[in-house]
């Protein structure tokens, strides 16, 4: 078995674990606080990861430039607001369905690429996009009678809009992170990714601390009180990100992202066993169609 395969599966598992713990913390910390712990408790580990690569592996530290700084800030802010939307989504629908909405990100990226960049879509890609859209429609309508009116109502609902927006902003974040990493002048993809991760998580921590201090100082107190659970979220987030970056260094992004959809399997397991949430057949079918659409798009 090639090394990138178990690394990708581990990264997907850690990402799902982080989301599950964030949902658990939301009741005690609120949406903003539950989102903050991903960055606030993760940035020291991200910095340590870069330091270890420098001192143990001998990788030189790349020089930061203005292009890197701009893309890092854009990606960091986009990820903050996408995470907030995703955590809020868990309160609107169950854990598995909320995660499935965010998995429309690759499909949306293809549409944005066609509209904004003029990238051509193959017949297979168009079919994959339609499959993903049908999956989203099924999830939206899973709790109501099937009709065209209900379809329009479901897709215009707050749940659907928040979920689809979350996937779109996560897509912007991913593009910005890749641009930031590539703007660094070497020395290699692993160290460039580590530097990007360390700088972005540090910026996100400072930004959200200022935001919470301005909006509600009590959130900071609650985050400190839940340090045991919150620190686990931060660790899962950083190790998961390190896994994604490493896997994409060893293998093409398309293959890594395709295999990474195994996260939905972990998501359904967490939804059923941890949160005791009921998922009906239409929601399962919708999630399967979203996965099929994403895999078809990446394969094309």
């Amino acid at each position: 078995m090639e090394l990138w395969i178990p690394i990708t599966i581990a990264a997907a598992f850690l990402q799902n674990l982080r989301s599950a713990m964030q949902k658990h913390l939301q009741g005690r910390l609120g949406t903003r606080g539950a989102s903050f712990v991903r960055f606030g408790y993760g940035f020291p580990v991200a910095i340590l990861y870069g330091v270890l690569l420098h001192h143990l592996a001998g990788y030189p530290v790349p020089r930061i430039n203005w292009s890197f700084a701009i893309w890092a800030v854009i990606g960091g802010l986009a990820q903050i607001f996408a995470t907030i939307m995703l955590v809020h989504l868990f309160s609107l629908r169950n854990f598995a369905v909320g995660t499935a909405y965010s998995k429309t990100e690759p499909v949306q990226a293809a549409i944005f690429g066609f509209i904004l960049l003029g990238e051509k879509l193959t017949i297979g890609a168009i079919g994959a996009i339609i499959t993903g859209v049908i999956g989203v429609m099924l999830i939206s309508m899973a709790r109501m009678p099937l009709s065209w009116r209900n379809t329009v109502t479901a897709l215009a609902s707050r749940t659907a809009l928040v979920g689809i927006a979350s996937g779109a902003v996560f897509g912007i974040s991913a593009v910005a992170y890749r641009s930031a990493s590539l703007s660094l002048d070497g020395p290699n993809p692993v160290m460039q990714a580590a530097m990007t991760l360390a700088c972005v998580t540090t910026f996100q921590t400072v930004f959200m601390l200022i935001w919470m201090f301005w909006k509600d100082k009590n959130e900071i107190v609650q985050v400190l009180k839940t340090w045991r659970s919150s620190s686990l979220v931060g660790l899962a987030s950083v190790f998961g990100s390190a896994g994604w970056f490493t896997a994409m260094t060893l293998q093409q992004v398309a293959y890594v992202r395709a295999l990474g959809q195994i996260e939905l399997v972990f998501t359904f397991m967490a939804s059923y066993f941890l949160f005791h949430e009921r998922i009906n057949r239409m929601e399962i079918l919708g999630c399967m169609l979203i996965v099929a659409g994403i895999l078809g798009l990446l394969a094309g």
Side-chain angles (χ1 to χ4, degrees), residues 71-104:
W71 282 117
V73 169
I74 293 174
L77 291 175
Q79 189 178 35
I80 286 173
F81 292 112
T83 301
I84 288 174
M85 285 189 284
L86 180 61
V87 173
H88 176 63
L89 188 63
F90 294 152
S91 67
L92 300 178
R93 290 292 290 272
N94 65 35
F95 180 66
V97 176
T99 302
Y101 271 122
S102 70
K103 292 303 174 187
T104 61

Coordinates of all heavy atoms in Angstrom, one line a residue, residues 71-104:
W71 N -2.5 36.4 0.6 CA -3.2 35.1 0.4 C -3.5 34.4 1.7 O -4.5 33.8 1.9 CB -2.5 34.2 -0.6 CG -2.6 34.6 -2.0 CD1 -1.6 34.9 -2.9 CD2 -3.8 34.6 -2.8 NE1 -2.1 35.2 -4.1 CE2 -3.4 35.0 -4.1 CE3 -5.1 34.3 -2.5 CZ2 -4.4 35.1 -5.1 CZ3 -6.1 34.5 -3.5 CH2 -5.7 34.9 -4.8
A72 N -2.5 34.5 2.6 CA -2.7 33.8 3.9 C -3.8 34.5 4.7 O -4.6 33.8 5.3 CB -1.4 33.9 4.7
V73 N -3.9 35.8 4.6 CA -5.0 36.5 5.3 C -6.4 36.2 4.7 O -7.3 35.9 5.4 CB -4.7 38.0 5.3 CG1 -6.0 38.8 5.8 CG2 -3.5 38.4 6.2
I74 N -6.4 36.2 3.4 CA -7.7 35.9 2.7 C -8.1 34.4 3.0 O -9.3 34.2 3.4 CB -7.5 36.0 1.2 CG1 -7.3 37.5 0.8 CG2 -8.7 35.4 0.4 CD1 -7.0 37.7 -0.7
G75 N -7.2 33.5 3.0 CA -7.5 32.1 3.3 C -7.9 31.9 4.8 O -8.8 31.2 5.1
G76 N -7.2 32.6 5.6 CA -7.5 32.5 7.1 C -8.8 33.0 7.4 O -9.6 32.4 8.2
L77 N -9.2 34.2 6.9 CA -10.5 34.8 7.1 C -11.6 33.9 6.5 O -12.7 33.7 7.2 CB -10.6 36.2 6.6 CG -9.7 37.3 7.3 CD1 -9.8 38.6 6.6 CD2 -10.1 37.4 8.8
A78 N -11.4 33.4 5.3 CA -12.4 32.6 4.7 C -12.6 31.3 5.5 O -13.8 30.9 5.7 CB -11.9 32.2 3.3
Q79 N -11.6 30.7 6.0 CA -11.7 29.5 6.8 C -12.4 29.8 8.1 O -13.2 28.9 8.6 CB -10.4 28.8 7.1 CG -10.5 27.5 7.7 CD -9.1 26.8 7.9 OE1 -8.1 27.5 8.2 NE2 -9.1 25.5 7.7
I80 N -12.2 30.9 8.7 CA -12.9 31.3 10.0 C -14.4 31.3 9.7 O -15.1 30.7 10.5 CB -12.4 32.6 10.5 CG1 -11.0 32.5 11.1 CG2 -13.3 33.2 11.6 CD1 -10.3 33.8 11.6
F81 N -14.8 32.1 8.7 CA -16.2 32.2 8.5 C -16.9 31.0 8.0 O -18.0 30.7 8.3 CB -16.5 33.4 7.6 CG -16.1 34.7 8.2 CD1 -15.0 35.5 7.8 CD2 -16.8 35.2 9.3 CE1 -14.7 36.7 8.3 CE2 -16.5 36.4 9.9 CZ -15.4 37.2 9.4
A82 N -16.1 30.2 7.2 CA -16.7 28.9 6.7 C -16.9 27.9 7.9 O -17.8 27.2 8.0 CB -15.7 28.3 5.7
T83 N -15.9 27.9 8.8 CA -16.0 27.1 10.0 C -17.2 27.5 10.9 O -17.9 26.7 11.4 CB -14.7 27.2 10.9 OG1 -13.6 26.7 10.0 CG2 -14.8 26.3 12.1
I84 N -17.4 28.8 11.1 CA -18.5 29.3 11.8 C -19.8 28.9 11.2 O -20.7 28.4 11.9 CB -18.4 30.9 12.0 CG1 -17.3 31.3 12.9 CG2 -19.8 31.4 12.5 CD1 -17.1 32.7 13.0
M85 N -19.9 29.0 9.9 CA -21.1 28.5 9.2 C -21.4 27.1 9.4 O -22.5 26.6 9.6 CB -21.1 28.9 7.7 CG -21.3 30.4 7.5 SD -21.5 30.8 5.7 CE -19.8 30.7 5.2
L86 N -20.3 26.3 9.3 CA -20.4 24.8 9.4 C -20.9 24.4 10.8 O -21.7 23.6 11.0 CB -19.1 24.1 9.1 CG -19.1 22.6 9.2 CD1 -20.1 22.0 8.2 CD2 -17.7 22.1 8.9
V87 N -20.2 25.0 11.9 CA -20.6 24.8 13.2 C -22.1 25.2 13.5 O -22.8 24.5 14.1 CB -19.7 25.5 14.2 CG1 -20.2 25.3 15.7 CG2 -18.3 24.9 14.1
H88 N -22.5 26.3 12.9 CA -23.9 26.8 13.1 C -24.8 25.8 12.4 O -25.9 25.6 12.9 CB -24.0 28.2 12.5 CG -25.4 28.7 12.5 ND1 -26.1 28.9 13.7 CD2 -26.3 29.0 11.5 CE1 -27.3 29.4 13.4 NE2 -27.4 29.4 12.1
L89 N -24.4 25.3 11.3 CA -25.2 24.3 10.5 C -25.6 23.1 11.3 O -26.7 22.5 11.2 CB -24.4 23.9 9.2 CG -25.2 23.1 8.2 CD1 -26.4 23.9 7.6 CD2 -24.3 22.7 7.1
F90 N -24.7 22.7 12.2 CA -24.9 21.5 13.1 C -26.2 21.7 14.0 O -26.8 20.8 14.4 CB -23.7 21.2 13.9 CG -22.5 20.7 13.1 CD1 -21.2 20.9 13.6 CD2 -22.7 20.1 11.9 CE1 -20.1 20.5 12.9 CE2 -21.6 19.7 11.1 CZ -20.3 19.9 11.6
S91 N -26.5 23.0 14.3 CA -27.6 23.3 15.1 C -28.9 23.3 14.3 O -30.0 23.3 14.9 CB -27.4 24.6 15.9 OG -27.4 25.7 15.0
L92 N -28.8 23.4 13.0 CA -29.9 23.5 12.1 C -30.4 22.1 11.6 O -31.6 21.8 11.5 CB -29.7 24.4 10.9 CG -29.3 25.8 11.2 CD1 -29.0 26.6 9.9 CD2 -30.4 26.5 12.0
R93 N -29.4 21.2 11.4 CA -29.7 19.9 10.9 C -28.7 18.9 11.7 O -27.8 19.4 12.4 CB -29.5 19.7 9.4 CG -30.6 20.4 8.6 CD -32.0 19.8 8.8 NE -32.1 18.5 8.2 CZ -32.4 18.3 6.9 NH1 -32.7 19.3 6.1 NH2 -32.5 17.1 6.4
N94 N -28.9 17.6 11.5 CA -28.0 16.7 12.2 C -26.6 16.7 11.7 O -26.3 17.3 10.6 CB -28.6 15.3 12.2 CG -28.7 14.7 10.8 OD1 -27.8 14.9 10.0 ND2 -29.7 13.9 10.6
F95 N -25.7 16.0 12.4 CA -24.3 16.1 12.1 C -23.9 15.6 10.7 O -23.2 16.3 10.0 CB -23.5 15.3 13.2 CG -22.1 15.3 13.0 CD1 -21.3 16.5 13.2 CD2 -21.4 14.1 12.7 CE1 -19.9 16.5 13.0 CE2 -20.0 14.1 12.6 CZ -19.3 15.3 12.7
A96 N -24.5 14.5 10.3 CA -24.1 13.9 9.0 C -24.6 14.7 7.9 O -23.9 15.0 6.9 CB -24.7 12.5 8.9
V97 N -25.8 15.2 8.0 CA -26.4 16.1 6.9 C -25.7 17.4 6.8 O -25.4 17.9 5.7 CB -27.9 16.3 7.1 CG1 -28.5 17.2 6.1 CG2 -28.6 15.0 7.1
G98 N -25.3 18.0 8.0 CA -24.6 19.2 8.0 C -23.2 19.1 7.3 O -22.8 19.9 6.5
T99 N -22.5 18.0 7.6 CA -21.2 17.7 6.9 C -21.4 17.5 5.5 O -20.6 17.9 4.6 CB -20.6 16.5 7.6 OG1 -20.4 16.7 9.0 CG2 -19.2 16.2 7.0
A100 N -22.5 16.8 5.1 CA -22.7 16.5 3.6 C -22.9 17.8 2.8 O -22.4 17.9 1.7 CB -23.9 15.6 3.5
Y101 N -23.6 18.8 3.4 CA -23.7 20.1 2.7 C -22.4 20.7 2.4 O -22.1 21.2 1.3 CB -24.5 21.0 3.6 CG -26.0 21.0 3.4 CD1 -26.9 20.7 4.4 CD2 -26.6 21.2 2.1 CE1 -28.2 20.6 4.2 CE2 -27.9 21.1 1.9 CZ -28.8 20.9 3.0 OH -30.1 20.8 2.8
S102 N -21.4 20.6 3.4 CA -20.1 21.2 3.2 C -19.3 20.5 2.1 O -18.4 21.0 1.6 CB -19.3 21.2 4.5 OG -19.0 19.9 4.9
K103 N -19.7 19.2 1.8 CA -19.0 18.4 0.8 C -19.4 18.8 -0.6 O -19.0 18.2 -1.5 CB -19.3 16.9 1.1 CG -18.6 16.4 2.4 CD -17.1 16.7 2.4 CE -16.5 16.3 3.7 NZ -15.1 16.7 3.8
T104 N -20.2 19.8 -0.8 CA -20.5 20.3 -2.1 C -19.4 21.2 -2.6 O -19.4 21.7 -3.7 CB -21.8 21.1 -2.1 OG1 -21.7 22.2 -1.2 CG2 -23.0 20.3 -1.7

